[in-house]
Amino acid sequence: MDMDKLVSLCKRRGFLFQSSEIYGGLNGFWDYGPLGTELKRNVKEAWWRDMVTGHDDLAAPPGAPEAFQMVGLDSTIIMHPQIWKCSGHYDLFHDFMVDCRESKKRYRHDQVRGRWVAYQGKRVFVTTQSGGDEGVAETAQRALKLFGLRGKDAERLAWEGELVSLMTVADFAQVLGPDAREPGTLTEPREFNLMFKTYVGALSGEEGAAFLRPETAQGIFVNFKNVVDSSRVSVPFGIAQVGKSFRNEITPRNFTFRSREFEQMEIEFFCHPTQSPDWYRFWRDRRYRWYVELGLAGERLRLRDHDKEELSHYSCGTADIEYAFPFLPPGEFGELEGIAHRGDFDLRSHMEGKLVRQGDSLVVETDAEGKPRHKGSGKDLSYYDDVTRERYIPHVIEPSAGADRATLAFLCEAYQEDKVPDEHGNPRERVFLRLHPRLAPIKAAVFPLVKKDGMPEVAQNIYRDLKQQFNVYYDEKGAVGRRYARQDEVGTPICITVDGPSLTDGTVTFRDRDTLRQWRVKVEDCREELAKVLRGEQLAISS
RNA sequence: GCGGGUGUAGCUCAAUGGUAGAGCAAUAGCCUUCCAAGCUGAAGACGAGGGUUCGAUUCCCUUCACCCGCUCCA
């Protein structure tokens, strides 16, 4: 599939627009047009319905260890800045970077290290990105090259001390960049913040500095105790949240795939530590199935378990649900959702402070004085089980999905081209979106075959009746074939046409988007028939 | 952030240092009895800013956006 055609269709029919377009656009931001808004709403509502309001609290679904509860939450985008310090985002997302004017490469200031060396009165800080013996060898090698010496002259170089961080160096004119041939090519360190910074309060002083959330998850963790204390849930249970998140991506690209403002659909599922591997597998499979059920059924969708090396320091299992987007190189997949086993990392972080791995356990990271690097809330977020009389910190399974990415994947998967016969029976190119009926922005279109003989009046009555239950669209302009084509292009599953026989026998035709099949339905049965078709029940073909 | 490429109507494409043109789409109407037909009407563009010039869509500079590669992506 040609991505350009989809992008063009999205703009032409009002699914997606570039943000601030009349001012030249803004990189990494996208607006949803009238139809895109409906589509994305449907994606989010399907998720909410399937995960939360439609979930049966009383019985264990297939693959689940036991029955569980699901509740919702809507937390704020701006939260206490300490949350991001304890969660680890502040340290991970907040770096100083240096650029090399010569090699055009960029490095993290804290990851470049090097050694001071002197030769014939010249003193240079030779850098490397490697540590340990490798770094020592590399700096030795590069110093020889810089001064035009051979290996046997190595002892003529006067080294000063061990490998140290670039952060200890003030004058960059004497620094030889990791990929440079001459010293002095590195820029001053520049602050690089992947979180959007803002200021709370009318005075924009640093004491009011805060961040737009880079994920919705933390809002759930910090409300864990509130939810437990207020909503009669007991472990195991999940808290779901849908909402905007913000990341200052360095290279937003690939349509809406990597946007700076995006929407997430996240669940934090709290369970007993001994049961957590079973719950992890349940959620991994459940979430994969959700995409399949809504139409991403082909080989372009896959479930991929992370390798051990790929796991975050706190995770004991992570899987990605990925889709082979058409804009990616063949064989590459883009992440739609990550399902992570996060252990007790998050709740403990917000109790004790930012955690780091030490051997097999997580401990509070400390500063030079032995105090916590980022202090936690100090609140007890453990859970007391009334039945077993056990107190513990629940483990967390986190299925974290991107609403915009899912929407984009559904669009890509739905895009179809085929040939249908025109009025003379000659094949004509057709573009249509084979969207799942639950996702389709418009559920049905109602047409009078021609704009006379009382057909519009009948069609309008059907339209008004259906409108009470479904998002339907009325159109009486031009040839009916054109109207069909327009609806196909935006994925409307059914077109209902009032024709000659309608006026005498009270039936109308239903036309199926994918097969072009038509069958007759009584006017008074339209609502029920449409509901049936949208539920995916067998089409009642009678003509 | 770097390098290369591209910016003309919703889309596809013209032309031009001196009034920017077409096809398709969209739109209003006529016609039309099942898959973008036809006729008529009206509407619609040089990404933005600056410079050179009597005059710039065209030449120059800057900027913004998009595409490709690098970099980045807890």
Side-chain angles (χ1 to χ4, degrees):
Chain A
M1 193 261 285
D2 189 351
M3 194 61 196
D4 290 344
K5 287 187 182 171
L6 178 67
V7 174
S8 163
L9 186 150
C10 283
K11 176 166 187 194
R12 189 158 40 82
R13 298 307 309 271
F15 283 93
L16 280 158
F17 307 125
Q18 191 178 18
S19 166
S20 317
E21 193 182 338
I22 63 168
Y23 285 102
L26 191 59
N27 197 341
F29 297 88
W30 297 90
D31 294 338
Y32 286 80
L35 291 179
T37 304
E38 295 298 329
L39 175 63
K40 187 176 165 187
R41 265 170 56 88
N42 290 341
V43 170
K44 289 187 285 182
E45 281 177 9
W47 185 88
W48 193 261
R49 170 91 198 141
D50 294 344
M51 296 301 119
V52 186
T53 54
H55 169 71
D56 180 353
D57 283 357
L58 310 178
E66 60 181 291
F68 61 91
Q69 290 163 284
M70 290 294 297
V71 294
L73 183 78
D74 189 348
S75 66
T76 57
I77 285 170
I78 297 171
M79 296 189 274
H80 196 292
Q82 192 67 16
I83 288 172
W84 307 111
K85 293 184 174 168
C86 290
S87 71
H89 287 86
Y90 182 83
D91 292 338
L92 275 165
F93 274 24
H94 188 259
D95 292 313
F96 283 87
M97 309 289 279
V98 294
D99 291 308
C100 177
R101 295 188 194 90
E102 183 190 316
S103 68
K104 306 296 180 196
K105 295 204 172 187
R106 168 173 293 162
Y107 313 94
R108 270 177 56 177
H109 188 210
D110 61 344
Q111 281 187 352
V112 176
R113 55 213 117 176
R115 290 197 287 163
W116 283 104
V117 66
Y119 175 70
Q120 294 184 338
K122 275 172 83 180
R123 199 162 162 271
V124 174
F125 188 72
V126 182
T127 63
T128 171
Q129 292 189 86
S130 311
D133 294 342
E134 203 180 316
V136 169
E138 200 185 312
T139 46
Q141 201 58 235
R142 300 192 65 220
L144 288 173
K145 194 165 180 192
L146 175 68
F147 294 116
L149 298 174
R150 289 159 185 259
K152 63 184 164 61
D153 300 322
E155 61 274 16
R156 294 169 64 186
L157 295 171
W159 292 98
E160 304 170 17
E162 299 294 304
L163 278 178
V164 292
S165 170
L166 179 63
M167 294 165 80
T168 62
V169 180
D171 182 7
F172 277 31
Q174 294 169 280
V175 175
L176 176 67
D179 298 284
R181 277 170 302 201
E182 292 296 321
T185 63
L186 294 185
T187 62
E188 289 298 303
R190 281 180 293 190
E191 192 173 351
F192 219 80
N193 198 345
L194 263 37
M195 287 196 289
F196 280 90
K197 199 174 191 176
T198 189
Y199 299 91
V200 176
L203 285 172
S204 51
E206 273 309 301
E207 65 274 14
F211 300 99
L212 308 192
R213 66 182 175 203
E215 63 169 34
T216 54
Q218 299 305 322
I220 300 180
F221 293 126
V222 300
N223 276 295
F224 171 74
K225 196 169 155 50
N226 281 338
V227 173
V228 168
D229 291 348
S230 64
S231 53
R232 301 187 68 213
V233 288
S234 54
V235 170
F237 72 96
I239 304 177
Q241 175 163 216
V242 176
K244 286 283 182 81
S245 293
F246 303 81
R247 293 180 198 183
N248 231 332
E249 299 287 353
I250 294 169
T251 314
R253 211 164 270 194
N254 291 330
F255 208 22
T256 61
F257 183 76
R258 180 164 296 143
S259 301
R260 287 175 163 148
E261 174 174 342
F262 58 101
E263 200 152 10
Q264 291 184 298
M265 307 183 291
E266 292 198 295
I267 296 169
E268 303 302 333
F269 188 81
F270 301 93
C271 56
H272 192 277
T274 57
Q275 264 194 338
S276 62
D278 293 337
W279 283 114
Y280 166 67
R281 280 188 292 276
F282 165 75
W283 278 108
R284 194 191 59 172
D285 298 341
R286 175 69 194 99
R287 291 302 307 148
Y288 178 74
R289 216 167 59 242
W290 187 78
Y291 293 95
V292 173
E293 285 163 359
L294 283 172
L296 299 190
E299 286 180 358
R300 305 188 75 91
L301 184 75
R302 77 174 180 193
L303 179 63
R304 186 179 67 84
D305 290 305
H306 281 207
D307 302 332
K308 229 182 170 79
E309 306 82 61
E310 214 179 335
L311 295 178
S312 307
H313 58 287
Y314 47 75
S315 182
C316 20
T318 299
D320 281 348
I321 297 168
E322 304 177 321
Y323 184 73
F325 285 97
F327 47 75
L328 297 173
E332 278 193 25
F333 287 69
E335 182 183 340
L336 293 180
E337 171 160 351
I339 298 99
H341 184 306
R342 298 178 62 91
D344 58 6
F345 175 80
D346 302 280
L347 289 178
R348 271 188 61 202
S349 296
H350 288 302
M351 292 169 65
E352 305 166 26
K354 189 197 167 194
L355 300 174
V356 288
R357 175 162 290 282
Q358 195 174 82
D360 279 341
S361 56
L362 292 164
V363 297
V364 176
E365 186 179 354
T366 50
D367 60 18
E369 293 161 25
K371 291 187 175 153
R373 177 167 160 73
H374 297 304
K375 231 176 109 185
S377 69
K379 299 288 187 297
D380 182 9
L381 302 181
S382 65
Y383 175 82
Y384 181 72
D385 188 320
D386 283 318
V387 178
T388 61
R389 303 191 173 192
E390 184 189 3
R391 179 170 289 282
Y392 58 93
I393 300 172
H395 277 203
V396 171
I397 313 299
E398 177 187 84
S400 168
D404 306 87
R405 288 181 175 190
T407 302
L408 183 59
F410 287 126
L411 273 172
C412 290
E413 185 80 7
Y415 186 91
Q416 304 279 328
E417 292 174 351
D418 68 356
K419 287 199 163 54
V420 305
D422 67 10
E423 56 171 348
H424 305 297
N426 301 318
R428 185 191 161 118
E429 281 276 328
R430 176 176 77 133
V431 170
F432 66 113
L433 295 183
R434 202 161 60 192
L435 289 167
H436 190 284
R438 287 181 77 188
L439 302 180
I442 299 170
K443 305 304 182 191
V446 185
F447 307 146
L449 184 58
V450 288
K451 201 168 57 176
K452 61 180 187 186
D453 299 341
M455 292 181 201
E457 290 73 11
V458 177
Q460 282 167 24
N461 284 336
I462 295 170
Y463 163 79
R464 293 196 181 99
D465 181 54
L466 293 175
K467 195 100 234 222
Q468 299 182 46
Q469 200 175 334
F470 309 101
N471 187 22
V472 294
Y473 187 82
Y474 177 80
D475 191 0
E476 60 179 26
K477 309 267 178 63
V480 74
R482 176 182 294 254
R483 286 177 266 158
Y484 285 144
R486 275 197 285 250
Q487 294 302 318
D488 291 342
E489 200 179 38
V490 298
T492 306
I494 292 293
C495 291
I496 299 170
T497 304
V498 173
D499 56 11
S502 310
L503 306 173
T504 52
D505 70 1
T507 64
V508 295
T509 63
F510 269 51
R511 169 196 179 270
D512 177 64
R513 174 194 67 204
D514 302 337
T515 63
L516 309 182
R517 278 188 304 204
Q518 292 186 319
W519 66 100
R520 299 202 75 87
V521 176
K522 284 186 184 155
V523 169
E524 60 267 31
D525 294 340
C526 278
R527 252 215 238 195
E528 199 190 330
E529 180 73 5
L530 182 58
K532 238 159 93 178
V533 172
L534 296 180
R535 283 197 303 266
E537 290 176 23
Q538 196 67 38
L539 303 181
I541 299 157
S542 59
S543 61

